[in-house]
Amino acid sequence: LRRVGQSLYAFPLWNDFFDFLEADDDFSIGMMNEQYVRSGRVIKTRKWYQIAIASPFQGVEKIWNRYTQFEKDEGGNAVSNLERLEPKHKTARNVLQKREGMWAKIQQDAIPQPPDGSSKQKQQIRNWVDLINYEKRNPLHREPHDHREDVRLVYYQCLSVLRYHVKLWHDF
């Protein structure tokens, strides 16, 4: 989730993951104190929500709404948690808008072909390079390790359709 959860199309993955985390199935009942198990589940679920709502993917607003409801249901510091995380979520939404515009110009399902010098292929390369450079600027202000993973994901996606272009491999 830390890697592919940053993908523009990661919403179904996150949504299913939260369905799993919030499921009532608990295989450890009987082995531990039920309250202890519930507390651990809430902490773990909250941690993953906080990662998800700061990630720019289509549907992040639905996850935000789901997280808001989760915090309200749990009570406690719901308002302070939401206020503290609002700036990260807003940044994710802004980055999402920028990424969507950039991804709209990219033909993601192109069949890899050797360089032919066509204007269409050159434009696709420019579009990918623009996206890569945008990600290199760290628009989410993430930690260096996480930022490297974001850039690496975009390179993997780029090289899956432009694998014959040596300059992209060299830059990677």
Side-chain angles (χ1 to χ4, degrees):
L1 280 172
R2 289 190 187 272
R3 181 177 290 176
V4 296
Q6 298 300 310
S7 172
L8 190 64
Y9 308 107
F11 173 72
L13 178 67
W14 281 111
N15 200 46
D16 289 350
F17 182 66
F18 288 119
D19 286 344
F20 171 74
L21 286 179
E22 293 174 354
D24 289 332
D25 300 336
D26 194 350
F27 301 107
S28 55
I29 290 184
M31 295 190 295
M32 297 180 171
N33 180 327
E34 192 172 325
Q35 184 178 3
Y36 176 77
V37 170
R38 172 143 173 69
S39 175
R41 178 184 289 159
V42 167
I43 291 168
K44 183 183 291 188
T45 303
R46 180 175 286 129
K47 176 189 135 198
W48 281 106
Y49 266 123
Q50 292 173 0
I51 292 169
I53 62 169
S55 302
F57 56 88
Q58 294 172 339
V60 69
E61 202 60 40
K62 292 176 184 173
I63 298 295
W64 173 258
N65 294 337
R66 189 172 174 164
Y67 175 60
T68 302
Q69 188 59 49
F70 171 80
E71 286 292 0
K72 287 178 182 175
D73 291 347
E74 293 305 319
N77 299 340
V79 174
S80 66
N81 282 342
L82 294 170
E83 287 175 355
R84 181 176 52 85
L85 295 168
E86 177 68 30
K88 287 183 178 184
H89 176 63
K90 185 176 180 180
T91 299
R93 286 192 325 243
N94 292 338
V95 170
L96 172 64
Q97 287 179 337
K98 180 74 171 168
R99 279 186 183 173
E100 283 178 323
M102 298 178 97
W103 277 101
K105 299 175 187 174
I106 292 174
Q107 186 180 358
Q108 300 172 56
D109 59 351
I111 297 173
Q113 296 179 359
D116 61 9
S118 71
S119 61
K120 183 179 178 183
Q121 194 175 62
K122 287 179 182 178
Q123 184 60 47
Q124 280 300 300
I125 292 169
R126 278 192 296 274
N127 293 340
W128 276 108
V129 169
D130 289 346
L131 180 60
I132 290 167
N133 288 335
Y134 177 70
E135 290 300 328
K136 284 181 177 179
R137 289 193 300 263
N138 195 6
L140 293 170
H141 314 292
R142 290 167 44 93
E143 296 295 320
H145 176 266
D146 294 330
H147 176 238
R148 270 193 308 277
E149 291 300 318
D150 294 346
V151 173
R152 185 175 290 147
L153 175 63
V154 175
Y155 266 111
Y156 285 150
Q157 292 168 324
C158 172
L159 292 170
S160 71
V161 293
L162 296 173
R163 69 182 66 150
Y164 297 111
H165 296 269
V166 177
K167 183 182 180 333
L168 294 170
W169 281 100
H170 178 69
D171 291 347
F172 182 47

